[in-house]
Amino acid sequence: MTVRRIAYQGEPGANSHIVCQQHHPDAEAVACASFEDVFAAVTGGDADLAMIPIDNSIAGRVADIHHFLPTSGLHIVGEHFLRIQFMVMGVPGTTLDTVRTVHSHVHALGQCRKIIQQHAWTPLVSGDTAGAAREIAEARDVSQAAIAPPLAAQIYGLEILARDVEDEDHNTTRFVELSREPAVPAAGAGPVVTTFIFNVRNLPAALYKALGGFATNGVNMTKLESYMVGGEFTATQFLAEVDGHPDDPHVARALEELTFFTTETRVLGVYPADPFRAESA
């Protein structure tokens, strides 16, 4: 598949932008204000792919995405893991001692508490890490700094005052690529991940029974998350991921057993497993 344009949420210099550059350096990265805009860009044909964060090793799941995915009509065709690196940056002339307020996304501020407390800075929430860098560049005030990815400093002409200021060095975000058409690798061609959703029947122990087929067939389930749908307070929809291809006999048997206890089962994507999975294991 030729990728000419790839959409991401955030401003230029965001972590999503970095992942786009790393894996599709020849494609035009298209910044979008919201996740809805990213999905619309792909479904409407304005972009070939979407690059979406789905999980973070510290903050957990990106909740909005789990609501958009099932109804988007898009398919997961790849995954990438990015080690998150945050830098303190300011306009030329800024030093750590001149800074009084530090701006960033609420999650970034929460993941960089140590340096903020060390310098007694006042944290101020911005809508996006890269957007915070842009705001600092526009303000031209040495009492203000941003916590953002390194690409943002390059784009907005800021100086890096401190590197790798995140509290945890295992801070990693998983991104998925979404496409209008599926791109299913052949069975046996290498490690793959299968992502699917299902709704359990309203029966006693339905979830227990639905998952039993994966255990008895030796299928490794790496993700299982529930969330509300349709305004209901009963968690009936689940998003799950397993190691393996739907055409692998043991995975096929498990998915078949799943249908006995669910009202809907739908595969969202079958795609190559990122090498990071094996490395982290």
Side-chain angles (χ1 to χ4, degrees), residues 4 14 35-36 38 55 64 124 145 192-193 201 216 255 272:
R4 296 183 177 86
F35 287 125
E36 292 98 327
V38 176
D55 299 295
D64 289 348
L124 296 177
V192 299
V193 178
R201 296 182 183 277
T216 56
L255 291 174

Side-chain angles (χ1 to χ4, degrees), residues 179-232:
S179 173
R180 289 185 296 277
E181 300 296 332
V184 179
V192 299
V193 178
T194 298
T195 299
F196 57 96
I197 58 169
F198 63 92
N199 291 11
V200 295
R201 296 182 183 277
N202 189 19
L203 299 170
L207 179 60
Y208 173 80
K209 295 174 182 177
L211 299 180
F214 295 95
T216 56
N217 286 288
V219 177
N220 184 32
M221 181 171 286
T222 57
K223 176 193 287 288
L224 178 65
E225 295 182 349
S226 64
Y227 52 101
M228 295 183 295
V229 291
E232 301 282 342

